[in-house]
Amino acid sequence: MFKVRVIPCLDVKDGRVVKGVNFVDLRDAGDPVEAAIAYDAAGADELCFLDITATHENRGTMLDVVRRTAEACFMPLTVGGGVRTIDDIKTLLRSGADKVSINSAAVANREFVKRAAEKFGEQCIVVAIDAKRVKRGGGSDRWEIFTHGGRNSTGIDAIEYAQEVVSLGAGEILLTSMDRDGTRQGFDLPLTQAIADSVPVPVIASGGVGNLDHLVDGIRQGHATAVLAASIFHFGEFTIRQAKEHMVRAGLPMRLDP
Amino acid sequence: MTVAIVDYGSGNLHSAAKAFERAARSMEEPQKVMVTRDPDAVFRADRIVLPGVGAFADCRRGLDAVDGMLDAMSEAVRVKARPFFGICVGMQLMATRGKEHVTTDGFNWIEGDVEKISPCDENLKIPHMGWNTLDLVREHPVLERLPLGPNGRHAYFVHSYHLNALNESDVLARADYGGPVTAIVGKDTAIGTQFHPEKSQRFGLALISNFLKWKP
């Protein structure tokens, strides 16, 4: 039986985990590779690295992190952050990433998604969408695409954008609600459902997880096929196993391989 | 003993190589894993691994671009009876034809076409991306001691097409994704998995170990 995926996401800056990971005794809580090994052992279904390195010069450190992770962890790895060119994708995949997540570069140039999917296959092209609810005078609310961590509005409708990037070859959508990110109030379920129901590819729900019920809601009500969370796992609040067992109790099909 | 992982510009060779190296380290008999685009090295190897991600036609084109590689592989597997392991599109290439976007010839080692999966449940997304259990169709040495079935272990899939084998005897295992999906094929000294053993954690490493031990 096909299972729902639980994906921990690590923000990595200059080769170090931002704020660290403290759910297990790590020699170095800031080493993304150690964190990845721990999540691998804990039964995470995939792993996601988001590179938030600001300078181009330090980008090479991420490739080293990816390489060392792929040497030690035999699980799917998605890497995002600063993916702008076909060469960026090639070097990440060559280093050991299985999928790359494209964000602003796709907003700026949709053709990039098409070229990337044609070159590397749709299965490894994830488009990350940061969406925010926008009040519209007269009409109803809608969600728009924001870039630069939610600071820059683009005026692009999130649902239309999702459909467009999928038609161009995105094999998966990583959907983050900028309204909910960091709030611990749960996913933006209407947003998640609206996107998941309007595209044929898998949608990963992200942004706002504060408890384990939120993970269940993302699948049940949001119609996502996978859930991504960061802080509830990194700081030892819940283990991956606890999350999955909670989701099993809620009736969801989960992988509990030892 | 040498294991040649065929490098034809497709796929995540790094992951496949690392997984085979890890599995090889636990073998009693030392096995050297090499990533190569040299047809002679592939021809001389004791085992051959063909990874592949992306589209069927692209992978076929990439393989054909390496002069003499397909001939070396075919002769090693079909004449010298060397064990062969195709992964994902590397497995699909074993089919008669691929029908992804355009119709492209495969190796015709396993009769059948590579066709788009069409889950009957419209809530199921394509690609089939994630973890699924496997249902045994036919016993095989590479499946020894692997817990299959609905309560068994999971394998990691990422694909939209699968090998619809003409002969049931060529299918070793299937997954269910709104209908049957060919997960493992096997014929003579060749096997292939639609899923990624190099991404399937302990289950995948156990399967790779079985392949490295297999003496057909």
Side-chain angles (χ1 to χ4, degrees):
Chain A
M1 190 187 213
F2 186 65
K3 301 302 192 297
V4 167
R5 283 171 287 155
V6 174
I7 307 172
C9 179
L10 293 155
D11 285 354
V12 180
K13 189 177 185 191
D14 302 325
R16 304 285 298 169
V17 179
V18 178
K19 288 189 267 181
V21 166
N22 302 306
F23 71 98
V24 67
D25 287 333
L26 301 178
R27 273 177 305 146
D28 178 356
D31 181 6
V33 182
E34 276 206 46
I37 292 168
Y39 277 123
D40 186 21
D45 295 311
E46 283 187 31
L47 200 61
C48 181
F49 284 148
L50 182 64
D51 188 6
I52 56 170
T53 302
T55 61
H56 191 76
E57 297 77 66
N58 283 339
R59 292 244 158 232
T61 58
M62 193 60 185
L63 294 178
D64 182 54
V65 165
V66 171
R67 206 172 292 119
R68 289 190 294 126
T69 301
E71 274 169 26
C73 299
F74 300 99
M75 67 186 299
L77 174 66
T78 301
V79 183
V83 177
R84 294 201 169 80
T85 65
I86 292 291
D87 262 356
D88 290 342
I89 299 175
K90 191 190 282 172
T91 49
L92 281 170
L93 295 178
R94 278 260 154 190
S95 302
D98 299 290
K99 301 187 249 182
V100 294
S101 142
I102 306 173
N103 195 332
S104 351
V107 177
N109 175 17
R110 311 280 205 287
E111 281 299 301
F112 180 48
V113 176
K114 186 161 185 250
R115 283 196 297 129
E118 280 171 359
K119 179 123 185 87
F120 304 104
E122 298 179 359
Q123 81 293 331
C124 69
I125 304 301
V126 182
V127 170
I129 297 180
D130 293 344
K132 207 165 170 173
R133 190 183 285 265
V134 173
K135 296 266 180 231
R136 288 282 142 188
S140 56
D141 292 1
R142 64 169 198 164
W143 295 278
E144 286 183 1
I145 305 293
F146 278 69
T147 59
H148 300 85
R151 289 192 304 276
N152 295 6
S153 160
T154 64
I156 301 167
D157 180 81
I159 297 171
E160 286 169 19
Y161 176 76
Q163 289 174 324
E164 189 182 354
V165 292
V166 168
S167 73
L168 291 169
E172 191 169 44
I173 298 289
L174 168 53
L175 176 67
T176 304
S177 160
M178 299 315 288
D179 298 307
R180 293 300 179 90
D181 205 23
T183 66
R184 303 177 57 90
Q185 289 172 19
F187 299 119
D188 183 336
L189 296 173
L191 165 68
T192 310
Q193 190 198 344
I195 301 280
D197 288 352
S198 57
V199 295
V201 303
V203 171
I204 305 170
S206 157
V209 176
N211 64 47
L212 300 182
D213 284 331
H214 291 154
L215 300 176
V216 176
D217 296 343
I219 305 294
R220 273 275 152 70
Q221 297 172 46
H223 299 174
T225 52
V227 285
L228 181 141
S231 53
I232 65 158
F233 296 132
H234 299 339
F235 307 122
E237 216 172 318
F238 299 105
T239 64
I240 298 281
R241 186 83 189 184
Q242 284 170 330
K244 287 185 167 188
E245 282 171 350
H246 185 83
M247 294 168 84
V248 165
R249 282 194 293 275
L252 293 172
M254 307 303 300
R255 182 182 72 112
L256 294 167
D257 288 355
Chain B
M1 299 286 276
T2 54
V3 182
I5 297 181
V6 181
D7 178 6
Y8 59 107
S10 164
N12 188 349
L13 295 161
H14 186 77
S15 301
K18 290 298 160 195
F20 276 81
E21 278 169 18
R22 168 72 72 92
R25 276 204 297 276
S26 61
M27 297 288 117
E28 284 169 22
E29 216 175 337
Q31 308 211 16
K32 186 174 171 283
V33 178
M34 55 178 173
V35 174
T36 179
R37 49 189 299 124
D38 173 11
D40 289 334
V42 169
F43 183 71
R44 285 194 308 268
D46 298 294
R47 289 169 203 278
I48 299 168
V49 180
L50 185 70
V53 298
F56 190 101
D58 283 344
C59 286
R60 175 68 207 235
R61 230 183 342 263
L63 194 60
D64 287 343
V66 186
D67 225 9
M69 186 59 89
L70 183 52
D71 287 343
M73 260 175 20
S74 297
E75 200 166 328
V77 177
R78 311 281 281 175
V79 181
K80 286 175 28 178
R82 293 284 184 259
F84 172 95
F85 195 153
I87 299 173
C88 197
V89 183
M91 169 259 216
Q92 294 182 351
L93 286 166
M94 296 160 75
T96 308
R97 274 183 306 250
K99 292 188 163 175
E100 186 171 357
H101 309 308
V102 291
T103 300
T104 311
D105 280 344
F107 310 156
N108 199 28
W109 296 354
I110 303 270
E111 278 183 86
D113 288 344
V114 176
E115 297 164 350
K116 185 137 191 166
I117 55 168
S118 50
C120 61
D121 177 351
E122 60 179 27
N123 292 319
L124 289 174
K125 303 289 194 169
I126 296 178
H128 172 212
M129 188 183 290
W131 298 84
N132 210 330
T133 48
L134 305 172
D135 298 312
L136 182 73
V137 178
R138 180 162 74 80
E139 299 279 356
H140 191 283
V142 298
L143 301 180
E144 218 169 88
R145 290 192 308 276
L146 296 184
L148 306 183
N151 299 314
R153 302 283 186 266
H154 298 77
Y156 185 78
F157 288 84
V158 193
H159 67 116
S160 305
Y161 291 77
H162 81 136
L163 201 172
N164 190 2
L166 220 54
N167 302 311
E168 182 70 7
S169 58
D170 294 343
V171 179
L172 303 185
R174 289 199 176 90
D176 178 61
Y177 192 67
V181 168
T182 305
I184 312 179
V185 292
K187 188 181 185 180
D188 303 326
T189 64
I191 62 153
T193 62
Q194 179 59 68
F195 57 85
H196 289 271
E198 78 282 17
K199 291 289 157 188
S200 298
Q201 294 180 330
R202 286 189 196 94
F203 173 82
L205 292 174
L207 174 65
I208 292 171
S209 297
N210 280 351
F211 171 75
L212 294 176
K213 273 185 268 189
W214 181 34
K215 295 198 166 114

